[in-house]
Amino acid sequence: MRADLAVPYVTWNVTQDATGAAADASADTVTGAAAGTPEPGRTQPGGRPSAAAKPLRWAADAVTALREGARLHLDYSARSLWRVDRVIDELRREDTPYGAVESVLRGLGAYGGEVIVRETGGEWWATGGDHWVRTPDGRLWDPVDEARRCFGGHGSLRLLCRDATLADQA
């Protein structure tokens, strides 16, 4: 069953299962060590780690949806994260059920993570279906979870990027 979630000037198509909960048909694969610690995966064409494949796709889908639905241009700059935080805040203020926007938040969090990767020279790491950004200083950042926290009123992708960028420069 498909449900359309209307956001001001944006229409998100969310796949739902029979109970009405958001469902994701894709299965995550483990690219980390058997012990569960994240490690860089094999590289894919273009030199990006294989751990980056899903977050890049999620981010690209979010960018396309916002460009086509809201005429909102996201350019993978740190400044664009102000707009992403505002979109998430608007979803929260409309009392949108979390299950209806879970995949949207995943895409916006992946977008924030890709901004961090580009700003710091970091890379995506994955294990057990979770995706993090590892900055050159060795720290791990979880932008997908930060998007969820932002939806709950307790986070900011813009501030996460600022912290990751400052930590990388220290």
Side-chain angles (χ1 to χ4, degrees), residues 55-122:
L56 284 173
R57 185 179 69 236
W58 298 334
D61 289 347
V63 168
T64 300
L66 287 173
R67 183 182 63 241
E68 292 175 359
R71 305 276 188 243
L72 185 63
H73 179 70
L74 298 176
D75 60 2
Y76 291 95
S77 69
R79 288 177 51 147
S80 69
L81 293 175
W82 280 94
R83 286 174 254 160
V84 173
D85 280 347
R86 283 197 331 245
V87 167
I88 295 172
D89 189 50
E90 187 63 32
L91 289 169
R92 180 176 49 79
R93 279 191 268 140
E94 291 179 352
D95 292 327
T96 308
Y98 174 77
V101 295
E102 186 174 9
S103 63
V104 172
L105 295 173
R106 181 183 64 195
L108 295 174
Y111 173 81
E114 187 58 22
V115 170
I116 293 170
V117 166
R118 293 178 186 199
E119 291 284 322
T120 66

Side-chain angles (χ1 to χ4, degrees), residues 4-5 16 25-26 37-38 40 53 60 62 65 67 72 90 94 100 103 109 112 117 123 129 131 168-169:
D4 290 335
L5 173 65
Q16 296 182 330
S26 64
T37 57
R67 183 182 63 241
L72 185 63
E90 187 63 32
E94 291 179 352
S103 63
V117 166
E123 65 182 347
H131 293 81
D168 184 53
Q169 294 173 359

Side-chain angles (χ1 to χ4, degrees), residues 3-35:
D4 290 335
L5 173 65
V7 178
Y9 312 109
V10 180
T11 302
W12 298 95
N13 291 320
V14 179
T15 304
Q16 296 182 330
D17 63 17
T19 66
D24 185 0
S26 64
D28 289 330
T29 54
V30 176
T31 59

Side-chain angles (χ1 to χ4, degrees), residues 4 22 50 109 117 121 139 143 150:
D4 290 335
S50 61
V117 166
R139 295 178 72 182
C150 188

Side-chain angles (χ1 to χ4, degrees), residues 154-166:
H154 307 290
S156 168
L157 288 169
R158 177 186 61 84
L159 295 177
L160 182 75
C161 180
R162 183 198 67 188
D163 291 349
T165 304
L166 291 176

Side-chain angles (χ1 to χ4, degrees), residues 29-32 39-45 47-53 123-124:
T29 54
V30 176
T31 59
E39 66 181 11
R42 297 172 300 275
T43 58
Q44 58 187 3
R48 297 293 300 265
S50 61
E123 65 182 347
W124 282 100

